[in-house]
Structures are given as C-alpha cells and as structure tokens.
C-alpha cells in the first residue's frame, strides 16, 4: 500500500510518518507544500504521477482558527478549494481519499456528544471553510472517508499539552477555561485508525462504506481537567507543574468563538469498522512521557 500524505509538517502527518514503518506493506510518502501544493492542480498531478499512491490522505489545512476570521479567502482556498482539487484528482485515478475534518463544523450548542448526522452550523470562518471542504470532497470523490476529529495533541507541532508544559516551566499558576467540553485526540492514536482504514480501503475491490465518521479518543473532558491531567503525569516524571486556575470562556476572549461542546460520538466508526481509540488519558500519559523524558 502506498500512501500519499498531504501536509507534511502537520501534527497528523508527522504521526503518520512515524507510525507507518511499523505497518507491514505500507510505504508512506508525506510531502510538503513545495512538492504538493493542494491549491495547485499541476502540483497535485505531478505528485500523484510520481508517487502513484493507492490511498490519498489529506491532512493539509488552514488551521489558524483565529487568523481565519480576517483571512477568509486563504482559509477557503485551502480548506475548500484545495480539498476539492485533491479529491477530484484522486477520483480521476479511482483512488480513495481520507480527508481530515473538525468539530468546528458544529455550533457547540448541543448538550450531548455530536453524531455524524447532527445538523452542522459552524460559528466561524474556519468552521465554514472546513464544512464546505467536506462537501466538496464528498461531491468530488465517491471513494471518500471524511474523518472529523478534535483537540489534537502530540509530541510534535504546536498544541495544548506543549503549551501547558512550556507555561509551567515559566510560571507557577496557569489560567485555563473550564466551561468547554471536548474529546482530546492523541495524533499517534488517531493515525492507527487512519492507517487501518487506508489498508482496508486500498483494496481494489473495497466498496467502503464511504462517508463521514467521527474519530477521537474515548472519554471527554474540559480544558481545565485536561491541563490537570498533563501536570499530574508531568509531576510523576519530575517535569514542569503548575497550579490550574479555572476560568470561564468569557474571560478568555478569542477572535473566533470556541465551541462550548466539541464532544464527538465515535459509535459509527466502532460499529462500522470495529475501531475505537483508547482513553484520552492514555494519550496524555504517552505524550507527556515523550516530552518530559525525551
Ligand atoms: N489540530 C487540531 O486540534 C485539529 C482538530 C480537529 C481537526 N483537525 C484537522 O486535522 C487536519 C490536520 O491538522 P494538523 O493539526 O495536523 O494541521 P497543522 O499542524 O496545522 O498542519 C497543516 C499542514 O498543512 C500544510 N499546508 C498548508 N498549506 C498547504 C498547501 N497549499 N498545500 C499543501 N500543504 C499545505 C501546512 O504546511 P506549512 O507548514 O508549509 O504551512 C501544514 O504542514 C486538518 O484538516 C485539521 O483541520 C485538527
């Protein structure tokens, strides 16, 4: 199986590249923007011809949620139009695409975890661009899996766990929002699902089931509890620790509003493919271990 991974510096792409060598018969080609710019049709054609993949994974995205509010054109160019171009090019060659999407397609006003069929109603430019990207991928390539995930963290790239540890190295207390609930997702756990999906769907006779799936670590939490778990693990390892002061979302204003509820119900993934991600706390344990102990 040959994977073409767009978005090579990203958290998900890095985790894919790290995990792929352990999978038998998998060659993972992650390419940066210079070799594969998903906004450029010719660049996509060159990459597809050169690598000749059996599955395309789109982890390239405009992910600066706040910046997108004033950079709408660029967010849509990448998250909608680039996603469409890549999905169309894969479809012309009969290649399935696994496309990463986000909890931000919802408005966060539901009380319970979101299921795939819940009404989408993004609150932000970023969320709208990702939702239109999902729709573009579905329309362009019948062989698609759209994987919505949330609150990604990993030892590589910028994320909440690294920010908490960096702040704790400099200050004794941190203020963390405590009224948003979500499903933290450890990139190395997420990519085991992506690689297994790719393996099953790369078979020429694979008939899907194609569609939209939620994929997040099991369990849900708030950012405050997430921070406390990071520090609990860090303390055990002699790493940086800070006291956590809970605050409300209104005391941490951001240009793009955050979802009060980002919880993703992953039952469909489990029922359809018999795949379930571990508890998010297991991801924190591994991530902190790698960050503190190196
Ligand atoms: N991070 C999260 O918490 C989170 C949560 C839910 C869903 N997701 C989704 O998961 C996916 C991966 O997220 P991530 O956190 O791994 O993203 P990320 O770390 O922000 O990486 C995105 C990658 O896209 C690349 N890129 C930008 N423009 C490109 C272009 N024109 N052509 C090709 N590549 C381009 C970037 O390259 P440069 O470095 O060169 O700009 C970067 O390597 C995204 O679809 C995102 O929406 C993420």
């Amino acid at each position: 199986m040959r994977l073409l991974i767009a978005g090579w510096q990203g958290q998900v792409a890095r985790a894919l590249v790290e995990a792929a060598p352990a999978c038998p018969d998998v060659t993972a080609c992650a390419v940066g923007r210079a070799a594969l710019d998903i906004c450029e049709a010719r660049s996509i054609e060159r990459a597809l011809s050169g690598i000749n993949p059996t599955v395309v994974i789109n982890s390239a995205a405009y992910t600066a949620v706040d910046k997108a509010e004033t950079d709408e054109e660029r967010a849509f160019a990448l998250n909608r139009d680039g996603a469409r171009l890549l999905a169309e090019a894969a479809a012309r060659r009969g290649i399935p695409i696994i496309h990463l999407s986000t909890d931000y397609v919802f408005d966060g006003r539901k009380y319970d975890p979101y299921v795939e069929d819940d009404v989408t109603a993004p609150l932000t430019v970023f969320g709208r661009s990702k939702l239109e990207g999902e729709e573009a991928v579905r329309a362009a390539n019948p062989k698609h899996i759209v994987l919505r995930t949330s609150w990604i963290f990993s030892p590589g790239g910028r994320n909440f766990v690294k920010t908490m540890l960096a702040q704790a190295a400099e200050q004794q207390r941190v203020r963390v929002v405590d009224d948003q609930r979500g499903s933290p997702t450890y990139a190395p756990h997420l990519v085991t699902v992506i690689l297994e999906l790719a393996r099953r769907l790369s078979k020429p006779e694979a008939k899907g089931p194609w569609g939209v799936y939620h994929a997040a670590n099991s369990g849900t939490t708030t950012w405050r509890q997430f921070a406390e778990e990071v520090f609990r693990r860090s303390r055990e390892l002699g790493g940086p620790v800070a006291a956590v002061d809970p605050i409300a979302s209104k005391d941490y204003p951001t240009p793009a509003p955050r979802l009060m509820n980002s919880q993703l119900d992953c039952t469909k993934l489990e029922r359809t493919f018999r795949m379930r991600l571990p508890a998010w706390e297991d991801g924190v344990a591994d991530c902190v271990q790698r960050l503190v102990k190196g």
Side-chain angles (χ1 to χ4, degrees):
M1 174 171 79
R2 290 175 73 78
L3 303 178
L4 172 57
I5 303 160
W8 118 276
Q9 295 282 0
Q11 290 195 76
V12 174
R14 286 191 212 197
L16 278 166
V17 169
E18 196 178 273
C23 302
D25 307 326
V26 173
T27 309
C29 305
V31 276
R33 207 187 309 191
L36 170 55
D37 182 339
I38 67 163
C39 296
E40 294 289 335
R42 269 185 303 182
S43 170
I44 294 172
E45 285 304 325
R46 262 199 312 274
L48 284 173
S49 299
I51 292 165
N52 194 22
T54 41
V55 178
V56 170
I57 298 173
N58 184 20
S59 65
Y62 186 111
T63 55
V65 176
D66 289 323
K67 205 168 149 219
E69 291 297 304
T70 52
D71 196 10
E72 184 161 345
E73 202 176 317
R74 182 89 195 117
F76 275 85
L78 191 51
N79 291 346
R80 179 192 58 197
D81 305 336
R84 177 193 297 120
L85 284 178
L86 188 62
E88 279 172 352
R92 279 195 294 277
R93 292 162 190 255
I95 303 170
I97 184 163
I98 299 176
H99 174 77
L100 273 295
S101 192
T102 171
D103 49 318
Y104 275 84
V105 299
F106 298 115
D107 66 11
R109 296 197 175 111
K110 187 181 173 186
Y111 181 77
D112 292 318
Y114 280 97
V115 295
E116 289 78 354
D117 289 340
D118 276 327
V119 174
T120 49
L123 302 173
T124 58
V125 169
F126 169 73
R128 288 206 320 273
S129 69
K130 290 295 289 184
L131 178 60
E132 292 192 23
E134 286 187 4
E135 289 160 358
V137 168
R138 281 156 54 187
N141 191 337
K143 294 185 180 179
H144 65 264
I145 295 282
V146 172
L147 268 193
R148 290 188 191 135
T149 186
S150 58
W151 292 22
I152 293 184
F153 63 101
S154 65
R158 286 183 55 205
N159 60 70
F160 181 77
V161 173
K162 289 178 81 174
T163 302
M164 286 300 106
L165 292 176
Q167 288 192 2
E170 311 245 302
Q171 57 203 57
Q172 290 179 341
R173 312 192 72 85
V174 294
R175 297 166 77 235
V176 185
V177 169
D178 194 31
D179 54 3
Q180 299 168 18
R181 279 202 88 74
S183 313
T185 303
Y186 186 44
H189 289 165
L190 177 66
V191 302
T192 60
V193 163
I194 296 176
L195 288 169
E196 178 57 19
L197 285 174
R199 195 182 62 73
R200 295 193 201 177
L201 300 175
S202 66
K203 302 201 169 84
E205 70 280 11
K207 292 192 170 62
W210 313 106
V212 180
Y213 293 87
H214 290 173
N217 273 108
S218 304
T220 66
T221 189
T222 68
W223 291 110
R224 191 263 303 166
Q225 290 168 332
F226 190 2
E228 285 177 345
E229 183 66 12
V230 170
F231 295 140
R232 192 177 73 77
R233 289 291 177 179
S234 183
R235 181 179 291 111
E236 288 173 0
L237 298 165
V241 172
V244 181
D245 296 322
I247 58 169
S249 300
K250 68 174 172 43
D251 298 322
Y252 190 79
T254 48
R258 299 303 192 258
L259 276 63
M260 299 310 284
N261 175 19
S262 282
Q263 302 170 91
L264 297 175
D265 182 318
C266 303
T267 310
K268 184 179 171 191
L269 184 80
E270 195 173 345
R271 285 217 186 107
T272 311
F273 295 105
R274 302 268 168 260
M275 288 185 219
R276 182 184 165 85
L277 277 79
W280 65 269
E281 292 94 331
D282 294 353
V284 171
D286 192 63
C287 189
V288 172
Q289 163 84 28
R290 288 175 63 179
L291 288 168
V292 170
K293 292 292 175 193

